[in-house]
Amino acid sequence: MMNKTFIQLIKFGFVGGVNTTIDFGVFTLLTLAGVPYLAAQCVSFLCGNLNSYLMNRKWTFQQKGNGIGREGLKFVSVSLLSLLLTTSLLVWLHQSLQYPLLLSKLLSATAGMMVNYLGSRLWVFVKPQETVETPTPH
């Protein structure tokens, strides 16, 4: 039988593939339409990240409740960190190292997926531990 963490990782990878498709699709359409690539990066990242939150919350990590509040703030924090990382890498790879734009996007998105998984698994979608009462001697 597969371990729960491994199954979550597989689900997260699938969701990541869907998110990456959304991110790349929006990014490509916007840049082809003449939108500057940094603006396209922000918009496409947010589109993919919205999908990430919805799919990972319900399917990957099977969270209950409305998701507003602490969990939402944690997700936004991880997303902002990931956006900062991916955008910085995108600029560095494309402008400084002269990598092609879509290759730079792919490499930066890969780094962002790692940050998102670790943040989601270890901080955002952590279920509260059930407290177990230990019997007290009488």
Side-chain angles (χ1 to χ4, degrees), residues 1 11-12 16-17 20 25 27 40 48-52 58-59 76 78 87-89 98 100 116-117 120:
M1 185 165 178
K11 286 180 174 182
F12 190 86
T20 300
F27 182 81
N49 237 10
L50 177 60
N51 183 71
S52 175
K58 293 291 184 191
W59 185 54
V76 168
V78 170
T87 302
S88 298
L89 279 173
Q98 300 295 304
N116 282 333
Y117 176 73
S120 294

Side-chain angles (χ1 to χ4, degrees), residues 13-29:
F14 177 79
V15 172
V18 172
N19 300 338
T20 300
T21 301
I22 291 169
D23 186 3
F24 266 80
V26 172
F27 182 81
T28 301
L29 289 173

Side-chain angles (χ1 to χ4, degrees), residues 23-24 26-28 30-31 35-45 81-112:
D23 186 3
F24 266 80
V26 172
F27 182 81
T28 301
L30 290 174
T31 55
V35 174
Y37 79 93
L38 289 178
Q41 162 68 3
C42 291
V43 172
S44 68
F45 179 89
L81 175 65
S82 184
L83 177 60
L84 179 63
L85 172 71
T86 57
T87 302
S88 298
L89 279 173
L90 178 65
V91 169
W92 179 66
L93 292 168
H94 183 62
Q95 289 184 354
S96 299
L97 298 182
Q98 300 295 304
Y99 283 24
L101 184 59
L102 291 180
L103 176 60
S104 299
K105 175 70 175 164
L106 176 65
L107 294 173
S108 64
T110 301

Side-chain angles (χ1 to χ4, degrees), residues 114-130:
M114 288 185 258
V115 168
N116 282 333
Y117 176 73
L118 290 173
S120 294
R121 172 81 174 94
L122 300 174
W123 191 49
V124 176
F125 298 116
V126 176
K127 292 183 182 180
Q129 294 291 332
E130 292 181 10

